[in-house]
């Protein structure tokens, strides 16, 4: 397999706490892979082991198929952007971007050309002479990206690079990073705890929990078939029901709540409407049903124009087509 980087049985123990627990992972070349998961699940620790800032307690890290476990960061040919961009405040934008090139002995016109090309890529060619403090947060973030890209790294590692930006800029930078990735063909590993960010940006997504990988795959694969309840929960699934054939989940947009009985060939349960909330584009209807564990509230969001009128207290049928029912393992 043509992986740009690999973890083989990588474990990281801090004192008596295992932060990363026997992880096997292959990072596909020329793609954008996200490490996704809740706070403390081991994302940053994994990235730091990939970068060489932390050595695994056991296991090995391969870069380009070669064992790099003991290589220091500066020998790994990586670009890294942290949550805080860590620009040098006394240097101009251009000198910040050229810093890594200078360290690598690139001089004169060659260095200037590479700096210009990198700044162009992030759309900041016109700000080359400014100091970081005269830039907005989003612009500083782009300078940090340009600096990491300038060295043409084997791997570009980004640790929550968008978390300091306001919501609008964050969404805009998602597609910027995607564009830069596809224009350069770089292998990118991006850490995030935001599932929307991961779904939108990833070619490959790796979902972690408590130091272990729960699921890895293309966003549509993971989203379409979450492996277990944790993954489903994390990706915003609702409507968990314990039925005789196991635990299932259906997204609210696939649930129909109607006065008559429907045979969709999938889920069909009697229920009572508990709440109807008007939300502009849709109605959020809650109905109480019973599963093997007792009373549950199921949610349905139906486009308001399509919804048959139901009211609190109505006896209804809660249904979902078989194709929309996700079966979960625990
Ligand atoms: N140097 C260290 N010494 C002791 N414990 C550490 C150290 N670094 C990380 N940890 C612990 O290891 C666990 C994983 O930390 P890590 O920073 O990898 O989490 P994360 O997934 O990046 O979380 P977040 O989303 O909050 O950034 C946490 O419980 C953290 O407290
Ligand atoms: Mg982190």
């Amino acid at each position: 397999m043509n992986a740009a980087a690999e973890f083989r049985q990588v474990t990281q123990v801090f004192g008596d706490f295992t932060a990363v627990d026997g992880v096997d992972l292959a990072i596909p070349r020329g793609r954008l892979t996200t490490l996704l998961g809740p706070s403390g699940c081991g994302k940053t620790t994994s990235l730091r082991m990939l970068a060489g800032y932390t050595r695994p307690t056991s296991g090995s890290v391969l870069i380009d198929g070669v064992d790099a476990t003991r290589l220091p960061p500066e020998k790994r040919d990586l670009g890294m952007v942290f949550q805080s961009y860590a620009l040098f405040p006394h240097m101009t934008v251009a000198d910040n971007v050229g810093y890594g090139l200078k360290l690598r002995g690139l001089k004169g016109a060659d260095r200037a050309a590479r700096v210009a090309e990198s700044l162009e890529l992030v759309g900041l060619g016109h700000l080359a002479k400014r100091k970081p403090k005269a830039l907005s947060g989003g612009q500083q973030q782009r300078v940090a990206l340009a600096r990491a890209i300038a060295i043409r790294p084997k791997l570009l590692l980004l640790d929550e690079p968008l978390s300091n930006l306001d919501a609008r800029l964050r969404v805009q930078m998602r597609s910027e990073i995607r564009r830069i990735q596809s224009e350069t063909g770089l292998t990118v590993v991006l850490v995030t705890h935001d599932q929307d960010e991961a779904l939108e940006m990833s070619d490959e997504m790796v979902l972690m929990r408590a130091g272990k990988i729960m699921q890895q795959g293309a966003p549509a694969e993971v989203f379409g078939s979450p492996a277990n309840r944790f993954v489903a929960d994390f990706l915003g699934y609702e409507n968990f029901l314990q039925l005789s054939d196991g635990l299932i989940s259906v997204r609210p947009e696939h649930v129909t709540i109607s006065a008559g009985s429907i045979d969709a060939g999938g889920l069909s349960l009697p229920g009572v409407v508990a709440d109807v909330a008007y939300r502009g584009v849709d109605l959020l209807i809650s109905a109480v049903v019973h599963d093997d564990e007792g009373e549950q509230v199921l949610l349905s969001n139906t486009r308001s124009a399509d919804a048959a009128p139901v009211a609190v207290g109505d006896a209804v049928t809660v249904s979902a087509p078989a194709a929309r029912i996700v079966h979960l393992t625990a």
Side-chain angles (χ1 to χ4, degrees):
M1 184 194 162
N2 190 24
E6 269 180 79
F7 275 7
R8 294 200 182 150
Q9 282 299 302
V10 166
T11 292
Q12 181 63 260
V13 178
F14 296 116
D16 58 1
F17 179 76
T18 304
V20 174
D21 194 359
V23 163
D24 285 310
L25 172 65
I27 305 290
R29 186 183 307 282
R31 298 296 177 88
L32 193 153
T33 300
T34 52
L35 300 184
L36 174 70
S39 185
C41 71
K43 306 182 294 294
T44 295
T45 305
S46 299
L47 208 64
R48 288 175 57 82
M49 289 192 286
L50 211 47
Y53 294 112
T54 310
R55 194 173 290 179
T57 310
S58 60
S60 43
V61 177
L62 282 74
I63 295 177
D64 272 344
V66 177
D67 193 329
T69 316
R70 273 158 235 290
L71 274 189
E74 64 275 13
K75 297 239 167 92
R76 294 192 184 199
D77 242 342
L78 309 173
M80 183 136 180
V81 177
F82 299 94
Q83 184 174 340
S84 60
Y85 333 124
L87 298 176
F88 304 114
H90 58 288
M91 291 185 196
T92 64
V93 163
D95 288 344
N96 264 283
V97 174
Y99 183 76
L101 300 173
K102 194 173 171 186
L103 289 184
R104 284 167 174 76
L106 204 65
K107 294 195 174 68
D110 288 344
R111 186 161 85 215
R114 193 81 79 77
V115 166
E117 171 198 299
S118 305
L119 280 174
E120 217 48 62
L121 200 57
V122 300
L124 286 187
H126 59 298
L127 298 179
K129 295 206 160 57
R130 289 228 189 136
K131 295 278 176 63
K133 69 173 187 312
L135 300 177
S136 72
Q139 289 167 338
Q140 291 184 38
Q141 181 61 288
R142 281 166 218 243
V143 175
L145 258 181
R147 183 174 61 183
I149 292 165
I151 62 164
R152 296 190 179 149
K154 279 188 186 150
L155 280 173
L156 178 61
L157 307 179
L158 309 173
D159 193 355
E160 310 241 9
L162 308 181
S163 58
N164 277 348
L165 306 178
D166 68 48
R168 227 179 104 226
L169 200 53
R170 198 154 62 222
V171 170
Q172 189 186 330
M173 282 301 288
R174 287 180 191 169
S175 48
E176 281 280 290
I177 292 176
R178 278 245 45 118
R179 176 186 61 78
I180 291 167
Q181 191 279 326
S182 64
E183 281 180 18
T184 57
L186 276 171
T187 303
V188 179
V189 183
L190 180 143
V191 163
T192 179
H193 60 260
D194 182 328
Q195 68 273 24
D196 293 331
E197 200 165 289
L199 288 167
E200 183 179 333
M201 295 181 71
S202 314
D203 294 307
E204 183 86 352
M205 106 191 202
V206 179
L207 227 139
M208 296 182 67
R209 176 199 201 178
K212 289 195 158 77
I213 293 177
M214 292 286 108
Q215 195 169 1
Q216 175 175 4
E221 258 169 60
V222 178
F223 192 76
S225 319
N228 54 41
R229 175 157 189 162
F230 170 81
V231 175
D233 245 331
F234 199 79
L235 296 178
Y237 275 78
E238 292 183 86
N239 296 338
F240 295 95
L241 283 175
Q242 188 64 52
L243 300 177
S244 56
D245 61 344
L247 182 67
I248 66 150
S249 170
V250 197
R251 299 184 68 82
E253 64 267 31
H254 299 135
V255 173
T256 304
I257 293 181
S258 57
S261 71
I262 289 183
D263 187 6
L267 181 72
S268 184
L269 290 172
V272 174
V273 175
D275 189 46
V276 179
Y278 175 71
R279 304 195 303 183
V281 289
D282 65 12
L283 291 172
L284 185 67
I285 306 171
S286 317
V288 175
V289 299
H290 287 84
D291 71 1
D292 291 357
E293 293 187 335
E295 213 169 71
Q296 308 289 346
V297 176
L298 289 197
L299 301 175
S300 164
N301 52 22
T302 316
R303 287 210 322 145
S304 44
D306 302 343
V310 291
V312 174
D314 283 0
V316 289
T317 303
V318 178
S319 56
R324 298 302 191 177
I325 297 172
V326 171
H327 295 264
L328 302 164
T329 60

